[in-house]
Amino acid sequence: MKKGIITKVSGPLVVARGLPFAKMYDVVLVGKLGLLGEIIQIKEDLSFIQVYEETSGIGPGEEVESTGTPLSVELGPGLIGSIFDGVQRPLDILSSSFGSYIVRGVKENPINRDKYWEFEPIVKEEDFVSEGDIIGLVQESEIVKHKILVPVGVKGKIKKIFKGDKRVEDVVAVLDNEGNEIEIKMLTKWPVRIPRPIVKKLPPDFPLITGQRVIDGFFPVAKGGTACIPGPFGSGKTVTQHQLAKWADADIIVYVGCGERGNEMTEVLIEFPELKDPKTGYPLMKRTILIANTSNMPVAAREASVFTGITLAEYYRDQGYDVALMADSTSRWAEAMREISGRLEEMPGEEGYPAYLASRIASFYERSGKVVNIGKEGRISTLSVIGAVSPPGGDLSDPVVQSTLRVTKVFWGLDDALASARHFPAINWLTSYSLYTVDLDSFYKKNINEELPKLREIAMELLEKEAELEEIVRLVGIDALSPKDRMILEGAKSIREDFLHQNAYHEIDTYTSLKKQYLMLKAIIKFYEEGNKALDEGIELDKIINLDVRVDIARAKYISESDLKYFDELFEKIERDFSSLKEKSKEEVR
Amino acid sequence: MSKEYLTTSEIAGPLMIIQNVKDVKYNELVEITLKNGEKRKGQVMVAEEDKALIELYEPSIGIDPKEARVKFTGKGLEVPVSKNILGRIFNGFGEPIDDGPKIIPDDLIDINGNPINPFSRDYPNEFIQTGISSIDGLNTLVRGQKLPIFSGSGLPHSHLAAQITRQSKVLKTGEQFAVVFAAMGITFEEANFFINDLKETGALSKAVLFINLANNPVIERISLPRTALTVAEYLAFDLDMHVLVILTDMTNYCEALREISAARKEVPGRRGYPGYMYTDLASIYERAGRIKNKNGSITQIPIVTMPEDDKTHPIPDLTGYITEGQIFLSRDLYKKAIYPPIDVRPSLSRLKDRGIGKDKTREDHSDLMNQLYAAYSRGKDAEELAKILGEAALTSVDRIFVKFSDRFEREFVNQGEYENRNIEETLDIGWKLLSMIPIPELKRVREEYIEKYLKRFVSEEK
Ligand SMILES: Nc1ncnc2c1ncn2[C@@H]1O[C@H](COP(=O)(O)OP(=O)(O)OP(=O)(O)O)[C@@H](O)[C@H]1O
Ligand SMILES: [Mg+2]
């Protein structure tokens, strides 16, 4: 086949002349090493290529060959538990075959070709099937039953269907489409920049339960929803994302480490096989796929990594699973776009980012949703997307933050002041929001407790009042406040310290069920309300705030999920303590 | 033999354009020979069919385009390595600048290295005892970590870095250590201070120094940390040594980066620094770490002097986004004559939890750390309040905390430049100070630890 010739190399951008049949976004092999690249601009006879590998040593005169297909990922059993780079190269295999450093020009199949999977058909000969229909099942990991779907654009009558041990490239079924035979294999491909088809989107109405109190309790995200976590360095973006990857009640997690630290991926690789999913009891790694394109890995592959991740996520969503994708950090992705755009000498927009930044970000988040899948049964499933953003200096006017906020429904604003006071998660309760709160209330009311939304409202109000009162205290001192106001401060403090504050590294505190969250909040509000009543009856504030039971409220977060009767005793104790306080004060009056 | 070109058409700042070239490779090393025989180095920035854009590693002063003979070497910038580099001093290209003999290389390694496969990394979790309480006690450093010192001009970061270099050890024996010192744009005096310090302690024979002084070429600062880290990788992963890399001063490095970016006429980012500075810095900082099945490690202590003490300035900001925590030096503490003037509140070692506790430091370390931090913060907050509203506004307990935080600064943080405290001493000073606080206020520590570690100080303090 005829090849193109390189005319220019400038960092990750390579220009080639005379590349036959060049199409936008087709994958090409660049130079003697055959580096992986993608055509991102065509001008007359010139193809502009972003190269996913380091281009040192490549020069004009070398050849470029087009594969004729756009950048695609491989789909099929064997993805779960894997770790890939931004263009789906298996990092574990690269490590064992080529050593500790990433070398160039090496190709390894993302999905193992030799492994046998037990294919269990669920349709029979003569059945008519079309795209999205499930024809068989494969136990991919202890907890993931992989559904083999009829590929997009394919239909026909089942002519033959096989059973038993099959490799991903073996034929598992043969369809007859009006005389044409179509072979179906477990392995399929999909171009990463094109969303996989769905029938329609539905409004998300179930919470993605994360076990993180400030999230579930105050700013919940829906299954199929989107959330944005911006914050300065060290404010807790990665820890929050890791917490979600660990504890969110999704079936499948896709974690994209995009332009961040190598050690953070190592941490996941070490921890996830050890940690047990609270729902299934199996190691978390059995439901997780990792994409790691760390900050020192090539920039162009970083640009591709979020698309690679979301395509894998869509594939499992298509199978009917609730999938959650975390991207840490989308700022690094945007910076990769900026770098490539700069090399293309495109007209820069704000802060040098390309003018299409906002639409690119929107098109990524829009691939989330609660959807009706293609396929007979009209399966409903969700894909939730949570993106971290790292704005320079933590400044929220950053174009990446602003473009993201326009398309995401939940904003968890991380706050430098809270982080440096070691209040974690440092999600600012005054500025953060969730647009799902109202839609999810009916779920909370029905499944947890009727009064939960009300409790949240009271808590939020206390925190808002606290902020106002703090202003006054700063100016004139605490003595200027009435006992009622001071009770508000005490109540708000208890919400902050005993509820919102949650230590990700504490064995028990790291995850709190909705039930327990409700009980904790209830105890705090109960104390506050009883305290207020006591004040009305003339009891001194100091006596109230020094009650022993406050220690028990503070300890509640460390109470194990299997020990929730603790709260029955706690509620009783609150009542008991207050009535004895009232008794005593009556005696004193007498 | 590769051909030499006499076809330079343009020189602007550190950039040169050479015409009518053939088979030029991106990033390859270029040697320019001046009329008088002097040689300069550069690198291909853009390779085109008939021309090449070259970025010089050295100043362009004195280069006459008509006379300059340009040779493309066909490879990247490589540094010679061998066991004999220990104890030697080099420039940013790995050329000896001391009086020692020429290095006979065992190997030549491209200074840009390859990215470590994240799957091949091993998680840093071994405690390094620096002998400095505010680091060991509260912001523990572990092997393979990258932990920068965020400082300001005029603060004693060099002294601190030298002390860390002198005192660092792992509570294990029989391992080999080395220090790689990478100096970018610092003054002769600062560099000299370091060299002398290493000499006096006999550590020079275990150190490799790369030095580019304030009056040396700015552009050499771009290759210097890469050269130094290539050597560090060789020592760590080929010779099994535990390498501590001091990078000083990253602010000078970033300024060099900005200067070159401006010369290339790139669209400037914040404060004129290039948009790719994050990625560029990551290509340096991410070279710290441990690798599975290899014995050595690379621990990095970059020094960043924050312009105007502003941590949102792009240099500390982007550094913080890549490193695993930071140690903050404070001008206030410095003025109070506290050495090292480490402000423990904004400081954080993100990997500390992996390196402390039973079998690593001591079982009570984590609780104690949280309690000291909380008590100090409370004291400082109360102090702030007292400044506005007067002492009278404080409760009696808060007054104790104010006193505590003052003693904490003077007795825990403050220590001699040559005082090497072991971890037991550090933790015990912590407990001793806590004993001035009423026990019910100590909410972050387990009762058993109060019994075991605190009680013995209570009577003593009274
Ligand atoms: N929920 C939490 N519980 C306990 N500690 C936390 C929590 N969140 C954050 N931290 C602390 O804050 C540190 C920094 O958090 P993290 O790494 O998530 O920050 P980040 O916002 O991702 O920073 P960067 O932008 O530099 O990647 C952690 O190493 C940890 O010490
Ligand atoms: Mg992070």
Side-chain angles (χ1 to χ4, degrees), chain A residues 9 17 56-58 100 102 259 261 263 391 393 416 420 422, chain B residues 26-27 47 49 115 117 120 278 311 317 321-322 324 347 373:
Chain A
V9 183
R17 186 189 322 106
S56 289
I58 305 294
S100 318
I102 294 179
R261 301 171 184 83
N263 277 335
D416 201 29
S420 53
R422 309 266 157 112
Chain B
Y26 173 66
N27 255 352
E49 278 179 306
N117 183 335
S120 311
Y278 172 83
K311 76 162 181 169
D317 189 46
Y321 270 124
I322 305 164
E324 288 145 345
S347 299
Y373 180 89

PDB file of all heavy atoms in Angstrom, chain A residues 9 17 56-58 100 102 259 261 263 391 393 416 420 422, chain B residues 26-27 47 49 115 117 120 278 311 317 321-322 324 347 373:
ATOM      1  N   VAL A   9       8.129  17.458  11.945  1.00  0.00           N
ATOM      2  CA  VAL A   9       7.868  16.918  13.274  1.00  0.00           C
ATOM      3  C   VAL A   9       8.051  18.035  14.276  1.00  0.00           C
ATOM      4  O   VAL A   9       9.096  18.685  14.313  1.00  0.00           O
ATOM      5  CB  VAL A   9       8.849  15.777  13.646  1.00  0.00           C
ATOM      6  CG1 VAL A   9       8.485  15.198  15.008  1.00  0.00           C
ATOM      7  CG2 VAL A   9       8.868  14.705  12.590  1.00  0.00           C
ATOM      8  N   ARG A  17       2.833  14.223   4.036  1.00  0.00           N
ATOM      9  CA  ARG A  17       2.323  14.547   2.715  1.00  0.00           C
ATOM     10  C   ARG A  17       1.944  13.272   1.979  1.00  0.00           C
ATOM     11  O   ARG A  17       2.582  12.232   2.141  1.00  0.00           O
ATOM     12  CB  ARG A  17       3.387  15.301   1.916  1.00  0.00           C
ATOM     13  CG  ARG A  17       2.827  15.786   0.594  1.00  0.00           C
ATOM     14  CD  ARG A  17       3.831  16.363  -0.395  1.00  0.00           C
ATOM     15  NE  ARG A  17       4.908  17.162   0.175  1.00  0.00           N
ATOM     16  CZ  ARG A  17       6.162  16.730   0.268  1.00  0.00           C
ATOM     17  NH1 ARG A  17       6.508  15.535  -0.145  1.00  0.00           N
ATOM     18  NH2 ARG A  17       7.081  17.520   0.766  1.00  0.00           N
ATOM     19  N   SER A  56      10.616  11.826  19.717  1.00  0.00           N
ATOM     20  CA  SER A  56      12.059  12.040  19.578  1.00  0.00           C
ATOM     21  C   SER A  56      12.650  11.050  18.584  1.00  0.00           C
ATOM     22  O   SER A  56      12.309   9.866  18.609  1.00  0.00           O
ATOM     23  CB  SER A  56      12.764  11.827  20.915  1.00  0.00           C
ATOM     24  OG  SER A  56      12.443  12.867  21.776  1.00  0.00           O
ATOM     25  N   GLY A  57      13.539  11.551  17.747  1.00  0.00           N
ATOM     26  CA  GLY A  57      14.222  10.654  16.823  1.00  0.00           C
ATOM     27  C   GLY A  57      13.450  10.381  15.540  1.00  0.00           C
ATOM     28  O   GLY A  57      13.941   9.688  14.651  1.00  0.00           O
ATOM     29  N   ILE A  58      12.243  10.909  15.448  1.00  0.00           N
ATOM     30  CA  ILE A  58      11.459  10.756  14.220  1.00  0.00           C
ATOM     31  C   ILE A  58      11.770  11.971  13.347  1.00  0.00           C
ATOM     32  O   ILE A  58      11.925  13.082  13.853  1.00  0.00           O
ATOM     33  CB  ILE A  58       9.951  10.727  14.538  1.00  0.00           C
ATOM     34  CG1 ILE A  58       9.627   9.645  15.557  1.00  0.00           C
ATOM     35  CG2 ILE A  58       9.118  10.568  13.266  1.00  0.00           C
ATOM     36  CD1 ILE A  58       9.838   8.250  15.075  1.00  0.00           C
ATOM     37  N   SER A 100      10.140  -1.886  33.162  1.00  0.00           N
ATOM     38  CA  SER A 100       9.517  -0.898  34.035  1.00  0.00           C
ATOM     39  C   SER A 100       9.197   0.416  33.351  1.00  0.00           C
ATOM     40  O   SER A 100       8.432   1.219  33.862  1.00  0.00           O
ATOM     41  CB  SER A 100      10.449  -0.588  35.196  1.00  0.00           C
ATOM     42  OG  SER A 100      11.026  -1.758  35.686  1.00  0.00           O
ATOM     43  N   ILE A 102       8.008   2.722  29.895  1.00  0.00           N
ATOM     44  CA  ILE A 102       7.168   2.560  28.715  1.00  0.00           C
ATOM     45  C   ILE A 102       8.021   2.809  27.481  1.00  0.00           C
ATOM     46  O   ILE A 102       8.591   3.886  27.320  1.00  0.00           O
ATOM     47  CB  ILE A 102       5.977   3.519  28.785  1.00  0.00           C
ATOM     48  CG1 ILE A 102       5.106   3.081  29.956  1.00  0.00           C
ATOM     49  CG2 ILE A 102       5.206   3.522  27.480  1.00  0.00           C
ATOM     50  CD1 ILE A 102       3.915   3.916  30.184  1.00  0.00           C
ATOM     51  N   GLY A 259      -3.359  12.433  33.293  1.00  0.00           N
ATOM     52  CA  GLY A 259      -2.332  13.443  33.524  1.00  0.00           C
ATOM     53  C   GLY A 259      -2.055  13.701  34.996  1.00  0.00           C
ATOM     54  O   GLY A 259      -1.683  14.800  35.369  1.00  0.00           O
ATOM     55  N   ARG A 261      -0.669  11.702  38.994  1.00  0.00           N
ATOM     56  CA  ARG A 261       0.516  11.024  39.507  1.00  0.00           C
ATOM     57  C   ARG A 261       0.514   9.516  39.276  1.00  0.00           C
ATOM     58  O   ARG A 261      -0.519   8.861  39.426  1.00  0.00           O
ATOM     59  CB  ARG A 261       0.628  11.266  41.007  1.00  0.00           C
ATOM     60  CG  ARG A 261       0.714  12.720  41.380  1.00  0.00           C
ATOM     61  CD  ARG A 261       0.602  12.895  42.883  1.00  0.00           C
ATOM     62  NE  ARG A 261       0.585  14.293  43.254  1.00  0.00           N
ATOM     63  CZ  ARG A 261      -0.498  15.048  43.241  1.00  0.00           C
ATOM     64  NH1 ARG A 261      -1.661  14.541  42.868  1.00  0.00           N
ATOM     65  NH2 ARG A 261      -0.433  16.315  43.594  1.00  0.00           N
ATOM     66  N   ASN A 263       1.983   7.374  41.271  1.00  0.00           N
ATOM     67  CA  ASN A 263       1.775   6.692  42.547  1.00  0.00           C
ATOM     68  C   ASN A 263       0.300   6.555  42.901  1.00  0.00           C
ATOM     69  O   ASN A 263      -0.087   5.648  43.631  1.00  0.00           O
ATOM     70  CB  ASN A 263       2.490   7.436  43.678  1.00  0.00           C
ATOM     71  CG  ASN A 263       3.959   7.053  43.748  1.00  0.00           C
ATOM     72  OD1 ASN A 263       4.348   5.972  43.322  1.00  0.00           O
ATOM     73  ND2 ASN A 263       4.785   7.944  44.270  1.00  0.00           N
ATOM     74  N   PRO A 391      -8.122  23.880  38.692  1.00  0.00           N
ATOM     75  CA  PRO A 391      -7.891  25.219  38.152  1.00  0.00           C
ATOM     76  C   PRO A 391      -6.640  25.855  38.739  1.00  0.00           C
ATOM     77  O   PRO A 391      -6.319  25.619  39.906  1.00  0.00           O
ATOM     78  CB  PRO A 391      -9.139  25.988  38.597  1.00  0.00           C
ATOM     79  CG  PRO A 391      -9.620  25.273  39.812  1.00  0.00           C
ATOM     80  CD  PRO A 391      -9.236  23.830  39.654  1.00  0.00           C
ATOM     81  N   GLY A 393      -4.293  27.934  40.754  1.00  0.00           N
ATOM     82  CA  GLY A 393      -4.486  28.682  41.982  1.00  0.00           C
ATOM     83  C   GLY A 393      -5.849  28.457  42.617  1.00  0.00           C
ATOM     84  O   GLY A 393      -6.262  29.206  43.489  1.00  0.00           O
ATOM     85  N   ASP A 416      -9.849  25.482  49.854  1.00  0.00           N
ATOM     86  CA  ASP A 416      -8.490  25.459  50.380  1.00  0.00           C
ATOM     87  C   ASP A 416      -8.466  25.666  51.892  1.00  0.00           C
ATOM     88  O   ASP A 416      -7.724  25.007  52.618  1.00  0.00           O
ATOM     89  CB  ASP A 416      -7.674  26.548  49.679  1.00  0.00           C
ATOM     90  CG  ASP A 416      -6.188  26.264  49.780  1.00  0.00           C
ATOM     91  OD1 ASP A 416      -5.819  25.075  49.869  1.00  0.00           O
ATOM     92  OD2 ASP A 416      -5.407  27.224  49.773  1.00  0.00           O
ATOM     93  N   SER A 420      -6.876  23.116  54.515  1.00  0.00           N
ATOM     94  CA  SER A 420      -5.718  23.380  55.367  1.00  0.00           C
ATOM     95  C   SER A 420      -6.104  23.324  56.838  1.00  0.00           C
ATOM     96  O   SER A 420      -5.256  23.130  57.686  1.00  0.00           O
ATOM     97  CB  SER A 420      -4.989  24.668  54.986  1.00  0.00           C
ATOM     98  OG  SER A 420      -5.867  25.725  54.954  1.00  0.00           O
ATOM     99  N   ARG A 422      -7.723  20.885  57.716  1.00  0.00           N
ATOM    100  CA  ARG A 422      -7.892  19.428  57.729  1.00  0.00           C
ATOM    101  C   ARG A 422      -9.349  19.039  57.976  1.00  0.00           C
ATOM    102  O   ARG A 422      -9.622  18.020  58.615  1.00  0.00           O
ATOM    103  CB  ARG A 422      -6.999  18.768  58.789  1.00  0.00           C
ATOM    104  CG  ARG A 422      -5.558  19.189  58.724  1.00  0.00           C
ATOM    105  CD  ARG A 422      -4.708  18.259  57.905  1.00  0.00           C
ATOM    106  NE  ARG A 422      -3.520  18.962  57.422  1.00  0.00           N
ATOM    107  CZ  ARG A 422      -2.273  18.715  57.809  1.00  0.00           C
ATOM    108  NH1 ARG A 422      -2.036  17.766  58.655  1.00  0.00           N
ATOM    109  NH2 ARG A 422      -1.262  19.391  57.332  1.00  0.00           N
TER     110      ARG A 422
ATOM    111  N   TYR B  26      13.591  14.833  15.023  1.00  0.00           N
ATOM    112  CA  TYR B  26      13.077  15.659  16.109  1.00  0.00           C
ATOM    113  C   TYR B  26      13.847  15.356  17.401  1.00  0.00           C
ATOM    114  O   TYR B  26      14.114  14.190  17.703  1.00  0.00           O
ATOM    115  CB  TYR B  26      11.585  15.385  16.308  1.00  0.00           C
ATOM    116  CG  TYR B  26      10.987  16.062  17.507  1.00  0.00           C
ATOM    117  CD1 TYR B  26      10.891  17.449  17.562  1.00  0.00           C
ATOM    118  CD2 TYR B  26      10.536  15.322  18.595  1.00  0.00           C
ATOM    119  CE1 TYR B  26      10.356  18.076  18.670  1.00  0.00           C
ATOM    120  CE2 TYR B  26      10.001  15.944  19.714  1.00  0.00           C
ATOM    121  CZ  TYR B  26       9.916  17.323  19.742  1.00  0.00           C
ATOM    122  OH  TYR B  26       9.398  17.942  20.841  1.00  0.00           O
ATOM    123  N   ASN B  27      14.199  16.419  18.120  1.00  0.00           N
ATOM    124  CA  ASN B  27      14.868  16.309  19.417  1.00  0.00           C
ATOM    125  C   ASN B  27      16.326  15.852  19.367  1.00  0.00           C
ATOM    126  O   ASN B  27      16.916  15.605  20.404  1.00  0.00           O
ATOM    127  CB  ASN B  27      14.107  15.352  20.345  1.00  0.00           C
ATOM    128  CG  ASN B  27      13.346  16.128  21.397  1.00  0.00           C
ATOM    129  OD1 ASN B  27      13.515  17.351  21.497  1.00  0.00           O
ATOM    130  ND2 ASN B  27      12.543  15.462  22.187  1.00  0.00           N
ATOM    131  N   ALA B  47      11.572  19.666  13.128  1.00  0.00           N
ATOM    132  CA  ALA B  47      12.312  19.084  12.006  1.00  0.00           C
ATOM    133  C   ALA B  47      11.423  19.146  10.773  1.00  0.00           C
ATOM    134  O   ALA B  47      10.310  18.622  10.788  1.00  0.00           O
ATOM    135  CB  ALA B  47      12.672  17.637  12.319  1.00  0.00           C
ATOM    136  N   GLU B  49      11.342  19.124   6.212  1.00  0.00           N
ATOM    137  CA  GLU B  49      12.040  18.453   5.124  1.00  0.00           C
ATOM    138  C   GLU B  49      13.348  19.123   4.750  1.00  0.00           C
ATOM    139  O   GLU B  49      14.341  18.487   4.481  1.00  0.00           O
ATOM    140  CB  GLU B  49      11.140  18.400   3.897  1.00  0.00           C
ATOM    141  CG  GLU B  49      10.156  17.258   3.957  1.00  0.00           C
ATOM    142  CD  GLU B  49       9.262  17.254   2.738  1.00  0.00           C
ATOM    143  OE1 GLU B  49       8.643  18.301   2.466  1.00  0.00           O
ATOM    144  OE2 GLU B  49       9.185  16.223   2.068  1.00  0.00           O
ATOM    145  N   PRO B 115       9.000   7.381  30.461  1.00  0.00           N
ATOM    146  CA  PRO B 115       8.105   7.394  31.620  1.00  0.00           C
ATOM    147  C   PRO B 115       8.044   6.028  32.292  1.00  0.00           C
ATOM    148  O   PRO B 115       8.031   4.998  31.617  1.00  0.00           O
ATOM    149  CB  PRO B 115       6.744   7.780  31.039  1.00  0.00           C
ATOM    150  CG  PRO B 115       6.860   7.689  29.561  1.00  0.00           C
ATOM    151  CD  PRO B 115       8.307   7.707  29.208  1.00  0.00           C
ATOM    152  N   ASN B 117       6.294   3.040  33.771  1.00  0.00           N
ATOM    153  CA  ASN B 117       4.977   2.430  33.631  1.00  0.00           C
ATOM    154  C   ASN B 117       4.305   2.436  35.008  1.00  0.00           C
ATOM    155  O   ASN B 117       4.872   1.901  35.963  1.00  0.00           O
ATOM    156  CB  ASN B 117       5.162   1.001  33.128  1.00  0.00           C
ATOM    157  CG  ASN B 117       3.843   0.290  32.875  1.00  0.00           C
ATOM    158  OD1 ASN B 117       2.817   0.623  33.473  1.00  0.00           O
ATOM    159  ND2 ASN B 117       3.870  -0.682  31.988  1.00  0.00           N
ATOM    160  N   SER B 120       4.385  -0.603  36.965  1.00  0.00           N
ATOM    161  CA  SER B 120       5.653  -1.108  37.489  1.00  0.00           C
ATOM    162  C   SER B 120       6.076  -0.421  38.775  1.00  0.00           C
ATOM    163  O   SER B 120       7.083  -0.777  39.368  1.00  0.00           O
ATOM    164  CB  SER B 120       6.765  -0.908  36.462  1.00  0.00           C
ATOM    165  OG  SER B 120       6.364  -1.371  35.209  1.00  0.00           O
ATOM    166  N   TYR B 278       3.050  22.590  33.305  1.00  0.00           N
ATOM    167  CA  TYR B 278       2.640  21.466  34.154  1.00  0.00           C
ATOM    168  C   TYR B 278       3.278  20.160  33.667  1.00  0.00           C
ATOM    169  O   TYR B 278       3.891  19.418  34.433  1.00  0.00           O
ATOM    170  CB  TYR B 278       1.113  21.338  34.171  1.00  0.00           C
ATOM    171  CG  TYR B 278       0.616  20.089  34.861  1.00  0.00           C
ATOM    172  CD1 TYR B 278       0.476  20.033  36.235  1.00  0.00           C
ATOM    173  CD2 TYR B 278       0.310  18.942  34.127  1.00  0.00           C
ATOM    174  CE1 TYR B 278       0.044  18.890  36.869  1.00  0.00           C
ATOM    175  CE2 TYR B 278      -0.121  17.785  34.751  1.00  0.00           C
ATOM    176  CZ  TYR B 278      -0.253  17.765  36.129  1.00  0.00           C
ATOM    177  OH  TYR B 278      -0.673  16.611  36.742  1.00  0.00           O
ATOM    178  N   LYS B 311       1.579  31.368  47.202  1.00  0.00           N
ATOM    179  CA  LYS B 311       1.535  29.963  46.779  1.00  0.00           C
ATOM    180  C   LYS B 311       0.646  29.741  45.564  1.00  0.00           C
ATOM    181  O   LYS B 311       0.635  28.659  44.985  1.00  0.00           O
ATOM    182  CB  LYS B 311       1.104  29.059  47.934  1.00  0.00           C
ATOM    183  CG  LYS B 311      -0.359  29.112  48.248  1.00  0.00           C
ATOM    184  CD  LYS B 311      -0.739  27.885  49.071  1.00  0.00           C
ATOM    185  CE  LYS B 311      -2.233  27.935  49.352  1.00  0.00           C
ATOM    186  NZ  LYS B 311      -2.793  26.750  49.901  1.00  0.00           N
ATOM    187  N   ASP B 317       2.225  26.632  42.460  1.00  0.00           N
ATOM    188  CA  ASP B 317       0.910  26.058  42.180  1.00  0.00           C
ATOM    189  C   ASP B 317       1.045  24.765  41.363  1.00  0.00           C
ATOM    190  O   ASP B 317       0.537  23.713  41.740  1.00  0.00           O
ATOM    191  CB  ASP B 317       0.067  27.085  41.425  1.00  0.00           C
ATOM    192  CG  ASP B 317      -1.395  26.668  41.278  1.00  0.00           C
ATOM    193  OD1 ASP B 317      -1.982  26.216  42.275  1.00  0.00           O
ATOM    194  OD2 ASP B 317      -1.938  26.790  40.165  1.00  0.00           O
ATOM    195  N   TYR B 321       0.554  20.710  42.384  1.00  0.00           N
ATOM    196  CA  TYR B 321      -0.340  19.806  41.665  1.00  0.00           C
ATOM    197  C   TYR B 321       0.343  18.492  41.270  1.00  0.00           C
ATOM    198  O   TYR B 321      -0.311  17.568  40.805  1.00  0.00           O
ATOM    199  CB  TYR B 321      -0.864  20.489  40.400  1.00  0.00           C
ATOM    200  CG  TYR B 321      -2.153  21.269  40.596  1.00  0.00           C
ATOM    201  CD1 TYR B 321      -2.246  22.620  40.269  1.00  0.00           C
ATOM    202  CD2 TYR B 321      -3.294  20.640  41.099  1.00  0.00           C
ATOM    203  CE1 TYR B 321      -3.434  23.328  40.436  1.00  0.00           C
ATOM    204  CE2 TYR B 321      -4.480  21.332  41.272  1.00  0.00           C
ATOM    205  CZ  TYR B 321      -4.551  22.676  40.934  1.00  0.00           C
ATOM    206  OH  TYR B 321      -5.733  23.354  41.099  1.00  0.00           O
ATOM    207  N   ILE B 322       1.661  18.448  41.374  1.00  0.00           N
ATOM    208  CA  ILE B 322       2.362  17.240  40.934  1.00  0.00           C
ATOM    209  C   ILE B 322       2.997  16.489  42.109  1.00  0.00           C
ATOM    210  O   ILE B 322       3.014  15.262  42.138  1.00  0.00           O
ATOM    211  CB  ILE B 322       3.471  17.597  39.909  1.00  0.00           C
ATOM    212  CG1 ILE B 322       2.863  18.385  38.749  1.00  0.00           C
ATOM    213  CG2 ILE B 322       4.150  16.336  39.381  1.00  0.00           C
ATOM    214  CD1 ILE B 322       3.884  19.101  37.902  1.00  0.00           C
ATOM    215  N   GLU B 324       3.892  15.263  46.098  1.00  0.00           N
ATOM    216  CA  GLU B 324       3.079  14.564  47.096  1.00  0.00           C
ATOM    217  C   GLU B 324       3.133  15.293  48.427  1.00  0.00           C
ATOM    218  O   GLU B 324       3.574  14.771  49.431  1.00  0.00           O
ATOM    219  CB  GLU B 324       3.566  13.123  47.194  1.00  0.00           C
ATOM    220  CG  GLU B 324       3.169  12.362  45.958  1.00  0.00           C
ATOM    221  CD  GLU B 324       4.156  11.324  45.477  1.00  0.00           C
ATOM    222  OE1 GLU B 324       5.320  11.320  45.913  1.00  0.00           O
ATOM    223  OE2 GLU B 324       3.764  10.521  44.639  1.00  0.00           O
ATOM    224  N   SER B 347       1.673  22.818  55.727  1.00  0.00           N
ATOM    225  CA  SER B 347       2.557  21.748  55.250  1.00  0.00           C
ATOM    226  C   SER B 347       1.821  20.422  55.298  1.00  0.00           C
ATOM    227  O   SER B 347       0.958  20.215  56.150  1.00  0.00           O
ATOM    228  CB  SER B 347       3.800  21.646  56.131  1.00  0.00           C
ATOM    229  OG  SER B 347       4.517  22.850  56.088  1.00  0.00           O
ATOM    230  N   TYR B 373      -1.253  18.615  65.737  1.00  0.00           N
ATOM    231  CA  TYR B 373      -1.707  19.512  64.686  1.00  0.00           C
ATOM    232  C   TYR B 373      -2.947  20.271  65.139  1.00  0.00           C
ATOM    233  O   TYR B 373      -3.034  21.496  65.005  1.00  0.00           O
ATOM    234  CB  TYR B 373      -2.015  18.699  63.421  1.00  0.00           C
ATOM    235  CG  TYR B 373      -2.489  19.561  62.302  1.00  0.00           C
ATOM    236  CD1 TYR B 373      -1.578  20.135  61.421  1.00  0.00           C
ATOM    237  CD2 TYR B 373      -3.836  19.842  62.149  1.00  0.00           C
ATOM    238  CE1 TYR B 373      -2.009  20.959  60.408  1.00  0.00           C
ATOM    239  CE2 TYR B 373      -4.282  20.667  61.134  1.00  0.00           C
ATOM    240  CZ  TYR B 373      -3.370  21.227  60.267  1.00  0.00           C
ATOM    241  OH  TYR B 373      -3.789  22.054  59.285  1.00  0.00           O
TER     242      TYR B 373
END
